[in-house]
């Protein structure tokens, strides 16, 4: 039996009907924890839209979508919350209407300020914060060590691709762009050679055709990775099941994902 919210600590009959399947999956107590959680999501490109969708449908109490950037011509290709004709609008604002329509029982808000300008006190308002940030230090592995050599035999090439993209972003201050495809393709190949050489591994681990997949978000990939990441957030908020340990890599061309446990350098 589902309690009335006013009766103290339960959920309403409307919520019970809305979330019936997931209550059966992870239980009423877990759903009540989700219902009491406020989440901050920073970045509303394709991946951010998928995460927002899954958390809103899961029934968190509130979701704040923070993004200070404007919609680019490429965004609508993978970001389904943005309507056609929204180029130039703020990404978070352009996503609000469709996001809220997914579940009227969730309080969906928008923040258009740059996260770098936010005081520490701002983040204390949320039970979970999803921020896309550099992971260079976390990805450092000594491949010349005995442990590194053993890991190398089974480590997915996607790990090394991520290292290349991080180096490109560090050097250029942006991601690869279709507007400079030729130039960026050559630079990506050079960075591949330099990065893999510095790691002490063969460039053959990352075939040259990888550059074709570095120039835009792909909607199907965003859907899978967004689903996995949202699942991890639900685990944390509902206090159900252990999280992945510790990196999830998804290959959109092969349609397969893998969890890698990579130790620090």
């Amino acid at each position: 039996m589902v309690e009335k919210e006013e009766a103290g600590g339960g959920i309403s009959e409307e919520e019970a009907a809305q979330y019936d399947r997931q209550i059966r999956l992870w239980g009423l107590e877990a759903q009540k924890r989700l219902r009491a959680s406020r989440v901050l999501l920073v970045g509303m490109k394709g991946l951010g839209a998928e995460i927002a969708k899954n958390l809103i449908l899961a029934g968190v109490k509130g979701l704040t979508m923070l993004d200070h950037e404007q919609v680019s011509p490429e965004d609508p290709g993978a970001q389904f919350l943005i309507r056609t004709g929204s180029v130039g609008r703020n990404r978070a604002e352009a996503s609000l209407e469709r996001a809220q329509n997914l579940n009227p029982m969730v309080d969906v808000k928008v923040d258009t300020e740059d996260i770098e300008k936010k005081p520490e006190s701002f983040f204390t308002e949320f039970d979970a914060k999803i921020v896309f940030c550099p992971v260079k230090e976390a990805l450092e592995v000594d491949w010349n060590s005995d442990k590194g050599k053993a890991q190398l035999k089974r480590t997915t090439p996607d790990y090394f691709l991520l290292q290349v993209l991080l180096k490109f972003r560090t050097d250029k201050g942006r991601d690869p762009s279709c507007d400079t495809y030729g130039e960026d393709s050559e630079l990506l190949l050079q960075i591949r050679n330099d990065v893999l050489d510095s790691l002490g591994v063969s460039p053959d681990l990352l075939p040259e055709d990888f550059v074709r997949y570095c120039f835009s978000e792909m909607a199907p990939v965003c859907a899978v990775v967004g689903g996995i990441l949202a699942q991890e957030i639900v685990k944390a908020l509902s206090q159900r099941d252990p999280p992945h340990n510790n990196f999830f890599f998804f290959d959109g061309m092969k349609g397969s994902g893998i969890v890698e446990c990579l130790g620090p350098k």
Side-chain angles (χ1 to χ4, degrees), residues 28-45:
L28 178 59
E29 290 303 313
Q31 187 63 44
K32 286 162 64 175
R33 294 188 189 103
L34 280 177
R35 174 184 169 277
S37 301
R38 292 192 176 276
V39 180
L40 172 66
L41 173 57
V42 181
M44 286 305 298
K45 297 191 73 174

Side-chain angles (χ1 to χ4, degrees), residues 152 160 192-193 196-197 199-206:
L152 181 60
F160 301 101
R192 178 203 64 166
N193 295 338
L196 296 188
D197 182 64
L199 294 173
V201 298
S202 170
D204 294 337
L205 284 173
L206 195 58

Side-chain angles (χ1 to χ4, degrees), residues 5 16 32 36 40 59 61 63 86-88 105 110 114 135 140 143 145 160 166-167 170 208 232 241 246:
E5 182 176 0
K32 286 162 64 175
L40 172 66
K61 182 178 183 65
L63 177 71
S86 298
V87 174
M105 287 185 284
V110 162
D114 189 336
V135 290
E140 289 184 347
W143 297 107
S145 67
F160 301 101
L166 286 172
K167 183 65 165 62
T170 299
E208 291 190 1
E232 295 302 293
D241 302 320
N246 52 5

Side-chain angles (χ1 to χ4, degrees), residues 68-204:
H68 69 285
E69 299 284 356
Q70 294 181 335
V71 177
S72 70
E74 294 81 19
D75 284 338
Q79 218 281 35
F80 62 90
L81 294 176
I82 295 176
R83 292 186 181 278
T84 303
S86 298
V87 174
R89 291 186 62 194
N90 173 269
R91 275 202 201 108
E93 290 181 335
S95 304
L96 179 59
E97 181 182 359
R98 286 183 170 175
Q100 185 64 81
N101 287 342
L102 290 170
N103 189 349
M105 287 185 284
V106 174
D107 181 20
V108 183
K109 296 180 179 178
V110 162
D111 192 317
T112 62
E113 188 176 10
D114 189 336
I115 190 175
E116 298 292 340
K117 299 179 181 179
K118 292 293 187 184
E120 289 294 325
S121 58
F122 169 76
F123 300 97
T124 63
E125 303 173 16
F126 304 97
D127 301 288
K129 282 79 71 174
I130 308 168
V131 183
F132 302 106
C133 57
V135 290
K136 183 177 184 297
E137 291 184 5
L139 288 172
E140 289 184 347
V141 176
D142 183 1
W143 297 107
N144 293 313
S145 67
D146 291 340
K147 181 180 179 181
K149 291 176 181 177
Q151 282 186 325
L152 181 60
K153 297 177 181 178
R154 61 173 181 79
T155 298
T156 173
D158 300 328
Y159 165 86
F160 301 101
L161 172 56
L162 185 55
Q163 290 279 18
V164 171
L165 290 173
L166 286 172
K167 183 65 165 62
F168 184 99
R169 183 179 290 179
T170 299
D171 291 351
K172 302 291 287 186
R174 60 174 176 82
D175 292 326
S177 171
C178 294
D179 294 335
T180 51
Y181 182 87
E183 174 188 340
D184 288 357
S185 295
E186 292 182 7
L187 181 57
L188 283 166
L189 288 172
Q190 182 59 53
I191 291 176
R192 178 203 64 166
N193 295 338
D194 294 343
V195 167
L196 296 188
D197 182 64
S198 69
L199 294 173
V201 298
S202 170
D204 294 337

